[in-house]
Amino acid sequence: MTGLGYDLVEIERSAGGLLRVTIDLPWQPPVEGEPVVPEQFVTVEDCEKVTRQLQFALEVDGADYTRLEVSSPGIDRPLRHEQDFIRFVGEVIDLTLKEPIGAAAEGQVSANRKKFRGTLERAEDGGWQIVWSDEPPVKPGQKVSKKRVPAPLQALGFTLEELREARLAPIVDFKGRSAKPV
């Protein structure tokens, strides 16, 4: 993929001979002092280009598949590598731990909890953490008392080795994309 200018995000074999390949455009961290370049996204033409190359390569290799599907990562993009986490700092993610958090959890978090949704942040020690509030979201049109005390924020530090899975939370905003703060 890198020879074509794309990053390989995921390869999945499914029942019925489906080979699903997910690609993305390479990401470079912003350089301080340089103007922020708007993020580019994979297009249908990109997927067609990769499909043609893969069909040829898979035929030469004699790979066994019935159907090939090439796509972009989508709104629930998996996060697997350190660079993915750096890229999506400040975004809402869903993560699942390999093991429950155990007795080390303080406060109101259940010790057998493995799934979390919150904002991805860099921890003070250079590791990673997810920050969330267990306060239910406000429903459209619902009045909220100004006297109501918001639920406290909670944070959980984690390492990439402790994760079973991490993905961007599939949150759809019909008001359009907003620029990320620099």
Side-chain angles (χ1 to χ4, degrees):
M1 294 306 137
T2 54
L4 293 174
Y6 302 97
D7 286 339
L8 177 64
V9 175
E10 191 171 42
I11 296 176
E12 179 185 348
R13 280 192 170 274
S14 295
L18 172 65
L19 181 61
R20 183 174 291 130
V21 177
T22 306
I23 61 169
D24 201 1
L25 296 172
W27 177 78
Q28 295 297 321
V31 178
E32 200 170 315
E34 291 188 14
V36 177
V37 178
E39 191 166 358
Q40 301 288 316
F41 300 98
V42 173
T43 65
V44 172
E45 290 78 17
D46 294 325
C47 293
E48 289 174 354
K49 181 176 161 183
V50 171
T51 298
R52 284 192 296 277
Q53 285 292 337
L54 278 177
Q55 284 174 330
F56 176 74
L58 292 169
E59 185 177 321
V60 169
D61 287 347
D64 184 31
Y65 73 98
T66 307
R67 202 171 90 230
L68 175 64
E69 182 181 292
V70 176
S71 65
S72 69
I75 62 174
D76 63 342
R77 180 193 207 290
L79 307 178
R80 292 207 168 84
H81 309 288
E82 184 82 16
Q83 188 165 349
D84 295 337
F85 286 84
I86 294 168
R87 178 179 180 180
F88 294 108
V89 163
E91 297 289 336
V92 177
I93 66 167
D94 291 326
L95 69 83
T96 305
L97 300 171
K98 290 178 184 172
E99 301 290 327
I101 57 177
E106 294 180 22
Q108 302 165 353
V109 181
S110 169
N112 60 0
R113 185 170 174 182
K114 291 167 65 171
K115 294 185 177 194
F116 299 87
R117 173 175 277 189
T119 304
L120 175 64
E121 294 182 357
R122 199 46 124 154
E124 290 179 15
D125 64 2
W128 296 103
Q129 69 180 11
I130 186 168
V131 178
W132 75 96
S133 169
D134 285 327
E135 187 167 323
V138 177
K139 296 177 182 157
Q142 179 181 358
K143 293 184 179 181
V144 179
S145 169
K146 292 180 182 174
K147 296 177 184 177
R148 189 172 102 193
V149 177
L153 287 177
Q154 299 183 60
L156 174 72
F158 63 91
T159 64
L160 301 188
E161 292 77 34
E162 294 174 307
L163 296 181
R164 170 167 288 136
E165 178 181 56
R167 293 185 169 274
L168 289 179
I171 298 171
V172 179
D173 179 8
F174 292 104
K175 294 180 182 175
R177 294 185 187 273
S178 59
K180 279 187 181 179
V182 181

